[in-house]
Amino acid sequence: AQRVTQPEKLLSVFKGAPVELKCNYSYSGSPELFWYVQYSRQRLQLLLRHISRESIKGFTADLNKGETSFHLKKPFAQEEDSAMYYCALSGNNAGNMLTFGGGTRLMVKP
Amino acid sequence: GAVVSQHPSWVICKSGTSVKIECRSLDFQATTMFWYRQFPKQSLMLMATSNEGSKATYEQGVEKDKFLINHASLTLSTLTVTSAHPEDSSFYICSARRGQQTQYFGPGTRLLVL
């Protein structure tokens, strides 16, 4: 079974402060990890995936297999980063379905 | 970019009626489409996976006779909520994928059953 856990439902920071959204997963094989973002009144969209090793909008995430984590980080939060963030896992199962974490709402205060 | 649309964006219906929701990939052919359900303040829960031309694979606990999924073409999948009841009220989201590439999500359909 695959599981994704985001321990924080809400994370509130001030503009310019560092941000870390936590994500832990459980999967017996080699997973593919994603971060999706949903801005207010908009659809879910891919933020980044671990295999790309890229930085999007200043966000990065490193897959730590030892700790089974895929935390999302940004050194300086901006107000426009306020959104719901979902961590998701895709295993090498049939259909490659995504399993989502519960989501973390990030609020960046001015 | 890859765009996925859903229609309608919201619907209100009476208990006992059936509601059909369409999911379309506008600029690519989707070999696989997924249907999710999202309750208020909760995460997305996968309901079913559908591949073009074959029967959908439903997740445990999802009634296939209640939620009929048809993926008749590479650009269209439909979800029909049959004999809807108030507990079926939710936000239904589809996503589409070409091959093993990223899933692209639709904007969602809000269903309210009175």
Side-chain angles (χ1 to χ4, degrees):
Chain A
Q2 53 196 61
R3 177 185 288 183
V4 179
T5 303
Q6 292 178 248
E8 303 143 326
K9 287 188 178 297
L10 173 66
L11 184 63
S12 182
V13 302
F14 284 103
K15 175 183 174 181
V19 169
E20 182 179 65
L21 288 84
K22 292 184 169 51
C23 171
N24 289 91
Y25 67 90
S26 173
Y27 185 67
S28 56
S30 294
E32 187 171 357
L33 276 297
F34 305 81
W35 275 100
Y36 282 85
V37 60
Q38 188 171 31
Y39 299 103
S40 179
R41 300 182 186 280
Q42 294 187 29
R43 72 186 66 197
L44 204 65
Q45 56 186 290
L46 179 67
L47 182 62
L48 54 81
R49 53 197 302 183
H50 89 271
I51 61 172
S52 300
R53 292 184 174 276
E54 55 190 348
S55 173
I56 305 294
K57 298 184 179 182
F59 285 97
T60 59
D62 291 318
L63 178 62
N64 186 322
K65 292 186 177 181
E67 296 182 357
T68 60
S69 68
F70 189 56
H71 303 327
L72 183 68
K73 300 177 183 179
K74 184 169 183 176
F76 308 104
Q78 302 299 315
E79 288 182 68
E80 54 266 29
D81 295 328
S82 297
M84 278 294 293
Y85 290 81
Y86 294 96
C87 182
L89 176 153
S90 176
N92 54 355
N93 54 344
N96 293 110
M97 67 178 195
L98 281 174
T99 298
F100 285 86
T104 298
R105 179 169 296 281
L106 174 64
M107 292 180 57
V108 182
K109 297 176 286 187
Chain B
V3 180
V4 176
S5 70
Q6 282 184 240
H7 178 81
S9 55
W10 62 273
V11 57
I12 301 174
C13 69
K14 291 183 179 180
S15 183
T17 60
S18 293
V19 176
K20 179 185 282 188
I21 303 170
E22 292 186 350
C23 176
R24 293 181 185 271
S25 57
L26 298 184
D27 51 1
F28 68 102
Q29 293 185 323
T31 50
T32 306
M33 287 185 168
F34 303 85
W35 286 96
Y36 296 85
R37 187 173 179 177
Q38 186 178 32
F39 289 105
K41 299 187 185 297
Q42 295 189 29
S43 187
L44 285 78
M45 297 297 293
L46 180 66
M47 298 175 66
T49 303
S50 74
N51 293 295
E52 185 265 340
S54 62
K55 290 184 178 180
T57 302
Y58 290 81
E59 293 302 300
Q60 192 173 7
V62 178
E63 299 176 59
K64 61 180 180 181
D65 295 328
K66 173 77 171 176
F67 299 100
L68 301 178
I69 292 172
N70 184 283
H71 192 165
S73 78
L74 286 172
T75 59
L76 173 65
S77 176
T78 60
L79 167 68
T80 301
V81 183
T82 62
S83 186
H85 288 95
E87 58 265 29
D88 298 325
S89 299
S90 191
F91 195 54
Y92 293 88
I93 303 170
C94 77
S95 70
R97 187 183 72 196
R98 177 176 54 200
Q100 298 300 312
Q101 297 180 13
T102 304
Q103 286 187 36
Y104 295 94
F105 286 81
T109 296
R110 190 167 298 283
L111 171 64
L112 177 61
V113 185
L114 303 176

